[in-house]
Structure formats: C-alpha cells, structure tokens
C-alpha cells in the first residue's frame, strides 16, 4: 500500500509539471521525498540545500585504539594537608567552615593552654642560665690556662655551658613548632595562646573541631586541598595492563559535565594487581577547571596504539535499529543506506569498516536524510 501511495504521488507530480512547463523538475520535488525502496531515497534540490547535505569520500585517518576505563578525580598527596596542633590545647576561637577559601599564612584557629606558658618560661629561664654558664666557662677557661684551677673544674664548667646551649636550642625549636618566635620572646610577651596558620592556599574540605574543645597533638583539626594540579585515578583491568605506559594520552569526561572533554597523560602506573583484577593508573589532568571537583566520577579513554584506518566525519554515520549506516551517493540526489561497522571516534571522525566500502557518501547531516526517509516510509 505504501508503494502504491508513493507511485500516486509521483504521477500527480508529473501531471502538475506537464500542466505548467515552466516549472523545473527541482521545483516539483521541492516538498516531496521519493522512496525508491526500503533502503534508497531521492531528495529534491531544495531539500538538499535546506538540510545542508554535503557529499564526499571515505578517507584514511591516523587513529588510536583505546581502552575505556573509569575512575575518580583525586588530589595528589602533596596538595592535600591535614592540620593539627603540635602540643594540643583548647580551641579558643575559630571561624572556619567547610568550603571556605583560605590563603597561606592566614589564621585558622586560636588555641590556648597552660603548657604554652610553661614552655616560654622554661625557654627564658634556660636562656638566662646560658648567660651565666657562658660567663663561668670563660672564667674557668682563663683560670685553667694559668693553672689556677684544676682541669676537672674547667671541664665541669665547659660541660654545663654546652648542655645549656643544647637546652636553649631545643626549647627554641619547640617554640617555633607552635608558632612563637624565640628571638623576640621576652618576659613581657609571654602568652597563653597560639595561632594555627594555613600551610597552603586552598579550600577547606573538612572541619573536625569546634570552639571550646580540647584537642590532642594527634587530632586532625582541618583538611585542606590546594587548587593546584588535579589528577585522575583510573582502574584498569589486568588484561589491559601490558598496553599501558607513562605518557600515554587520555580523554576524560565527568558525569557532572559529560560534554566537556578533559585531556590527561599517564604519570604513574601502580605495579601490582588488586584483588578485583584491576590496577591503579594515575594521570595528570592538563585542562582541569573549577567544575572538576575531587571525588568526581570519570569515564576515560586511554589511547594505546596508532594506525591508519578508514574514517568518516561523525555526521556521516547514522544509527537505526542498532545498526550503523552510511548513505552512499548514487547520483541525481539518490542515496542508499549501506551498513557498516563503526569503531572508535576521535577528533570528530569515526572509524568505519565494510566488506564493500562505498565511494561517494554523505559526509554532513546524514541524519536529516534518515529522518526524511523514515518519515516518508511511514506515510
């Protein structure tokens, strides 16, 4: 019945053309798509122009075979920091919230404890004793040179002087550890509070404390990440491990922004297979942006080889009922569906293969022909 209707339309079109000899064949076919058979179609010149149909040939392209894997966005260990208090204490003041941006050297929290007072007292006391020990050492050294005092007395003075220097040095380093400068410390500047400063510029990802809480040196107060280089941690199956090497190119997409393609290169390959028969591959992401957050799920394609294959622009390949096709150009605006095997897609081109590859094909807007073809076939 469909063929009868289409033949009727052709007859009416021809009669209309005969009734008006000034109309060209192209004008008659302007609004009519002719189904020649189930796999062939003929368009008018107007339809060709309106749909933007372009014709070309299947060409050779240098393309990569690829391994499709998944993974997550990760932060390199050198860009992730856990902040703690070296000597513990009570949280006196803090205004940090998860997600806040901080600059390196800014105050994250103020901590107070009596042990800070004791440490400063011990340092100043040891520093004063060092002055006495130094003076006594100098005096005993002079007396010993003239044999006015015994070697034992001089050695005791020397040992006390050296021990006191060690004590002052160690206490000074403890003060520096909690952020107090021993050089400027005097009895008038003794304080019961210390500040904890941001070790990097970045984002606060976790806050584990609140004001008034006592924290130990082993407690993690905050976790920070630097907005520096992100990397992809990918899981690759055992069977594909031998195909990997450092420097291979990777194309990644995220579930949050699937249209954005991120490029990466393999930086490190973990030399062991886990219990699920996969191995970890770490890759440097070269064009990361603010929308790519740590923990984001990634789909990735790893290029593993380079070879010359037959390829066509992506617009040339159509899919209908789980089969891929090209439209072969038969001339006179006639086109025929030719089934093909579609391979990988890269840089706007898709690898295709067929027992008999067509010569001239539609290379742009092939789906427009498919839609006209199927719509006409359903009338």
């Amino acid at each position: 019945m469909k063929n009868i209707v289409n033949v009727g339309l052709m007859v009416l079109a021809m009669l209309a053309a005969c009734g008006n000899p000034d109309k060209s064949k192209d004008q008659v076919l302007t609004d009519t798509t002719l189904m020649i058979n189930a796999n062939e179609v003929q368009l008018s010149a107007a339809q060709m122009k309106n749909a933007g149909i372009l014709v070309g040939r299947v060409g050779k392209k240098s393309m990569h075979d690829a391994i499709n894997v998944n993974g997550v966005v990760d932060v390199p260990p050198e860009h992730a920091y856990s902040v703690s208090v070296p000597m513990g204490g009570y949280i006196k003041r803090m205004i940090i919230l998860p997600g806040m941006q901080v600059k390196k050297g800014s105050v994250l929290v103020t901590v107070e404890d009596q042990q800070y007072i004791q440490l400063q007292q011990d340092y100043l006391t040891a520093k004063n004793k060092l002055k006495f020990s130094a003076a006594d050492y100098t005096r005993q050294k002079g007396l010993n040179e003239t044999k006015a005092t015994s070697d034992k007395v001089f050695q005791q003075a020397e040992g006390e002087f050296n021990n006191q220097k060690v004590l002052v040095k160690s206490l000074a380093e403890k003060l520096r550890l909690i952020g107090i400068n021993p050089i400027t410390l005097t009895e008038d500047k003794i304080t019961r509070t210390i500040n904890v400063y941001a070790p990097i510029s970045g984002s606060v990802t976790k806050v584990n404390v609140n004001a008034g809480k006592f924290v130990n040196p082993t407690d993690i107060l905050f976790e920070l990440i630097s907005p520096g280089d992100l990397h992809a941690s990918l899981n690759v199956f055992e069977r594909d491990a031998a195909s990997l090497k450092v420097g291979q190119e990777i194309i990644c997409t995220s579930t949050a922004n699937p249209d954005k393609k991120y490029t990466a290169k393999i930086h490190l390959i973990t030399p062991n297979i886990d219990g699920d028969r996969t191995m970890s591959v770490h890759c440097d992401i070269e064009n990361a942006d603010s929308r790519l957050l740590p923990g984001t799920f990634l789909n990735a394609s790893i290029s593993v080889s380079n070879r010359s294959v037959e390829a066509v622009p992506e617009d040339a390949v159509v899919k209908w009922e789980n089969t891929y096709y090209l439209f072969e150009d038969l001339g006179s605006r006639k086109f025929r569906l030719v089934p093909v095997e579609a391979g990988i897609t890269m840089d706007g081109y898709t690898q295709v293969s067929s027992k008999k590859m067509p010569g001239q094909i539609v290379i742009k807007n092939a789906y427009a022909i498919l839609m006209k073809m199927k719509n006409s076939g359903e009338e």
Side-chain angles (χ1 to χ4, degrees):
M1 178 62 71
K2 293 180 180 178
N3 290 335
I4 294 174
V5 173
N6 287 329
V7 171
L9 292 173
M10 293 177 63
V11 172
L12 289 175
M14 293 173 64
L15 289 174
C18 293
N20 187 358
D22 293 334
K23 286 189 176 182
S24 66
K25 183 179 179 182
D26 291 344
Q27 290 173 316
V28 173
L29 295 176
T30 298
D31 300 316
T32 304
T33 301
L34 298 182
M35 286 289 295
I36 300 172
N37 57 50
N39 291 321
E40 294 184 16
V41 65
Q42 183 175 29
L43 303 181
S44 69
Q47 288 173 328
M48 290 278 291
K49 181 178 179 181
N50 291 337
I53 305 299
L54 292 181
V55 175
R57 301 186 67 86
V58 177
K60 290 285 188 179
K61 290 284 292 183
S62 178
M63 302 186 75
H64 300 281
D65 286 336
I67 300 171
N68 294 319
V69 298
N70 54 53
V72 295
V73 178
D74 203 359
V75 180
E78 64 268 24
H79 293 294
Y81 289 82
S82 297
V83 180
S84 59
V85 181
M87 294 183 64
Y90 291 91
I91 303 298
K92 181 179 181 180
R93 183 175 63 89
M94 58 170 287
I95 55 172
I96 298 300
L97 294 173
M100 288 183 63
Q101 298 292 318
V102 296
K103 292 184 178 180
K104 183 177 181 179
S106 61
V107 177
L108 297 178
V109 65
T110 300
V111 186
E112 65 178 357
D113 198 85
Q114 61 181 1
Q115 62 182 323
Y116 308 145
I117 301 173
Q118 186 64 51
L119 178 59
Q120 295 168 85
Q121 176 185 336
D122 292 345
Y123 171 76
L124 292 175
T125 301
K127 190 176 179 181
N128 289 333
K129 287 184 177 180
L130 177 61
K131 293 179 181 178
F132 173 79
S133 296
D136 186 52
Y137 166 73
T138 302
R139 182 172 60 256
Q140 295 297 334
K141 183 179 180 181
L143 293 174
N144 182 258
E145 288 175 350
T146 60
K147 300 302 179 181
T149 186
S150 66
D151 292 341
K152 181 179 179 180
V153 173
F154 168 67
Q155 290 170 355
Q156 288 177 337
E158 184 181 33
E160 179 63 25
F161 173 58
N162 289 334
N163 289 339
Q164 203 62 33
K165 285 196 297 182
V166 172
L167 179 59
V168 170
K169 180 66 175 178
S170 64
L171 291 173
E173 291 303 315
K174 286 183 178 180
L175 289 172
R176 290 188 178 97
L177 192 63
I178 60 175
I180 296 177
N181 186 354
I183 297 176
T184 60
L185 179 62
T186 64
E187 61 272 15
D188 297 326
K189 293 183 178 181
I190 293 178
T191 178
R192 64 181 181 182
T193 62
I194 63 170
N195 293 324
V196 178
Y197 301 95
I200 59 167
S201 295
S203 302
V204 180
T205 58
K206 290 184 180 180
V207 176
N208 302 319
V209 294
N210 54 268
K213 183 177 181 179
F214 180 83
V215 294
N216 294 301
T218 56
D219 294 336
I220 304 300
L221 308 186
F222 315 103
E223 292 186 14
L224 311 178
I225 60 170
S226 168
D229 298 335
L230 295 175
H231 76 195
S233 179
L234 305 178
N235 298 316
V236 179
F237 284 105
E238 177 183 8
R239 64 176 180 269
D240 298 320
S243 301
L244 304 181
K245 63 180 181 180
V246 173
Q248 281 177 308
E249 185 174 311
I250 297 174
I251 302 297
C252 303
T253 58
S254 68
T255 53
N257 187 21
D259 294 331
K260 170 69 175 180
K261 292 185 177 181
Y262 298 96
T263 59
K265 288 187 178 180
I266 294 179
H267 173 72
L268 183 65
I269 301 172
T270 305
N272 69 283
I273 305 297
D274 295 330
D276 59 356
R277 313 316 300 167
T278 65
M279 64 187 302
S280 297
V281 177
H282 301 279
C283 315
D284 295 325
I285 301 176
E286 298 179 341
N287 60 334
D289 54 32
S290 59
R291 292 179 293 180
L292 201 60
L293 303 176
T296 301
F297 185 83
L298 291 176
N299 293 307
S301 177
I302 305 176
S303 300
V304 295
S305 65
N306 190 9
R307 58 194 179 94
S308 181
V309 298
E310 291 182 314
V312 296
E314 287 184 71
D315 275 357
V317 182
V318 297
K319 187 177 182 181
W320 181 259
E321 296 181 345
N322 295 322
T323 302
Y324 292 96
Y325 296 93
L326 298 178
F327 272 107
E328 181 180 9
D329 181 16
L330 302 177
S332 300
R333 299 184 301 280
K334 295 180 183 178
F335 304 96
R336 177 170 59 200
L337 279 174
V338 177
V340 294
E341 295 289 334
I344 61 173
T345 297
M346 183 174 293
D347 298 330
Y349 283 83
T350 299
Q351 176 189 356
V352 291
S353 59
S354 176
K355 293 181 179 179
K356 186 178 180 181
M357 190 65 67
Q360 291 286 111
I361 63 166
V362 174
I363 61 173
K364 185 177 181 181
N365 294 330
Y367 265 108
I369 302 179
L370 180 67
M371 292 302 100
K372 290 181 181 295
M373 183 179 189
K374 297 306 175 182
N375 290 337
S376 297
E378 294 172 359
E379 292 176 357

